């Protein structure tokens, strides 16, 4: 589907025009939930999750039949600053692994019956080193947003977006610092496993980059400090909202991409839930900032959409209970 924007200004307009949930379907789901054969609230967050999902899918008795997982890959010029434990060549190598079915996310996608797609964005042309200038031009960031938008299958009924990009925890840390303040050390973590010296370099890079690109415009933050794969995730999350497809957010980098939308348009993430809390220290800070409580906390720090894909199982369980359980009247069980 052709993206309905050609600039950051029209992308901002697209976010502002995004649809909301079907309130009648949500109300119907809430009423149904109150009649199911269980004590009120006995399924905890699963009940809220099913009602939220019903509102976005437009039916009070939904199902999860067509998950989609999309992995976006990009390379970062800031890797020249020594911020990663791995060379940039690993990005392309891992893309090949995804394409051949050999990565963790391939197995997790298969396990939940998800369509999995991989999009590599100009791996031979890394973004610019954002300690020296903006990571991307407006044309480049809009192209990445467009790739993300067009990658979403309108027939999907839940979406997870993940990433691969050596250096992208540095990008995500810089985005978090630029959007929400604090100190650079609050946002910079060990990522792929940098040592103490690498962490010090990374923290310094984040501080210098944010000082260089001071702006209150979250889309400008995405352009100046993001990566192509980060922008593509933002584009895909926005497209899902356009199609009323619920989104399960993955880890630190996905949450940073999502945060640029939330800071651009209030309510832009109402169609999303946080799949998990990753082991990257600043992820909790990002989740707090965007008001999302994770469904899982398993110490993951892989990326690739892995935590989000795992959380599809939680959503499936919530929806199966909501739509498949009998009501008190159907089961002939006395209600209270």
């Amino acid at each position: 589907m052709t993206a309905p924007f050609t600039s950051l200004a029209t992308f901002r307009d697209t976010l502002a025009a995004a649809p909301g949930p079907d309130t009648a379907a949500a109300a119907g789901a809430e009423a149904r939930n109150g009649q199911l054969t269980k004590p009120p609230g006995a399924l905890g967050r699963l009940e809220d999750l099913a009602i939220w999902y019903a509102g976005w899918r437009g039916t009070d008795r939904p199902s999860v039949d067509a998950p989609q997982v999309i992995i976006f890959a990009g390379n970062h010029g800031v890797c020249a600053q020594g911020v990663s434990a791995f060379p940039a060549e690993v990005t392309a190598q891992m893309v090949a692994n995804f394409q051949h079915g050999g990565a963790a996310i391939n197995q997790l996608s298969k396990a939940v019956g998800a369509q999995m797609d991989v999009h590599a964005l100009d791996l031979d042309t890394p973004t610019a080193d954002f300690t020296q200038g903006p990571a991307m031009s407006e044309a480049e960031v809009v192209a990445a947003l467009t790739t993300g938008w067009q990658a979403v299958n309108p027939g999907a009924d839940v979406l997870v977006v993940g990433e691969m990009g050596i250096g992208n925890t540095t990008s995500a840390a810089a985005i978090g610092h630029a959007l929400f303040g604090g100190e650079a050390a609050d946002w910079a973590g060990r990522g792929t496993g940098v040592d103490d010296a690498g962490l010090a370099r990374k923290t310094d890079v984040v501080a210098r980059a944010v000082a260089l690109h001071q702006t209150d415009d979250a889309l400008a933050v995405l352009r100046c400090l993001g990566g192509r794969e980060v922008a593509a995730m933002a584009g895909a999350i926005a497209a899902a909202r356009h199609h009323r497809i619920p989104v399960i957010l993955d880890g630190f980098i996905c949450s940073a991409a999502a945060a640029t939308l939330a800071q651009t348009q209030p309510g832009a993430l109402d169609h999303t839930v946080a799949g998990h809390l990753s082991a990257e220290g600043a992820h909790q800070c990002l989740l707090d900032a965007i008001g999302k409580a994770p469904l899982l906390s398993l110490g993951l720090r892989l990326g690739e959409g892995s935590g989000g894909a795992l959380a599809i199982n939680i959503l499936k369980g919530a929806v199966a209970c909501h739509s498949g359980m009998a009501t008190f009247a159907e089961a002939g069980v006395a209600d209270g």
Side-chain angles (χ1 to χ4, degrees):
M1 186 190 71
T2 302
F5 54 87
T6 55
S7 66
L8 288 179
T10 52
F11 181 70
R12 191 186 312 276
D13 294 340
T14 299
L15 292 180
D22 183 326
T23 55
E30 189 163 7
R32 173 176 171 76
N33 181 62
Q35 295 300 312
L36 298 178
T37 47
K38 59 176 178 57
L43 286 175
R45 285 189 68 190
L46 294 186
E47 298 181 18
D48 297 333
L49 193 60
I51 294 165
W52 163 82
Y53 183 78
W56 286 103
R57 295 309 296 157
T59 173
D60 63 356
R61 203 165 178 172
S63 59
V64 182
D65 302 310
Q68 184 182 19
V69 174
I70 313 174
I71 311 302
F72 299 104
N75 275 324
H76 294 256
V78 76
C79 286
Q81 300 285 331
V83 295
S84 177
F86 288 88
E89 293 77 20
V90 171
T91 302
Q93 293 163 2
M94 281 302 300
V95 166
N97 194 28
F98 297 144
Q99 292 169 338
H100 290 96
I105 190 57
N106 296 96
Q107 319 320 315
L108 295 170
S109 297
K110 187 184 302 182
V112 296
Q115 170 190 340
M116 182 182 148
D117 301 294
V118 183
H119 294 267
L121 288 86
D122 298 327
L123 297 187
D124 293 335
T125 308
T127 53
D129 180 349
F130 55 57
T131 65
Q132 308 300 312
M136 292 173 279
S137 66
E138 177 161 354
E140 287 172 328
V141 73
V142 169
L145 287 164
T146 300
T147 295
W149 183 283
Q150 295 177 338
V152 175
N153 179 356
D157 53 21
V158 64
L159 176 68
V160 170
V161 291
E163 41 58 43
M164 178 62 213
I166 296 301
N168 62 13
T169 58
T170 303
S171 173
I175 289 171
H177 184 27
L179 292 179
F180 304 116
E183 302 295 328
D186 300 333
W187 296 98
R190 295 189 183 273
T192 51
V194 293
D195 58 16
D196 289 348
L199 180 59
R201 285 192 300 274
K202 188 173 182 178
T203 302
D204 176 64
V205 161
V206 169
R208 287 191 285 122
V210 172
L212 179 63
H213 304 291
Q214 294 191 24
T215 176
D216 293 327
D217 181 345
L219 295 182
V221 168
L222 179 63
R223 179 178 73 83
C224 292
L225 300 172
R228 290 186 179 88
E229 81 281 30
V230 178
M233 285 193 289
I237 293 167
R241 176 65 170 265
H242 177 81
H243 296 297
R244 289 194 173 95
I245 300 170
V247 173
I248 301 177
L249 301 175
D250 190 43
F252 181 55
I253 299 148
C254 178
S255 298
T260 65
L261 303 179
Q263 293 301 102
T264 299
Q265 177 63 41
L269 300 182
D270 287 352
H271 67 306
T272 74
V273 293
H276 75 123
L277 174 65
S278 81
E280 188 70 7
H283 190 206
Q284 183 68 66
C285 297
L286 269 181
L287 292 180
D288 290 345
I290 63 176
K292 300 293 180 184
L295 296 174
L296 299 169
S297 181
L298 299 171
L300 306 179
R301 57 182 183 87
L302 179 61
E304 303 180 2
S306 51
L310 271 172
I312 292 174
N313 291 292
I314 305 299
L315 178 62
K316 282 192 167 192
V319 171
C321 289
H322 174 85
S323 296
M325 285 177 68
T327 64
F328 283 103
E330 289 166 346
V333 176
D335 179 4

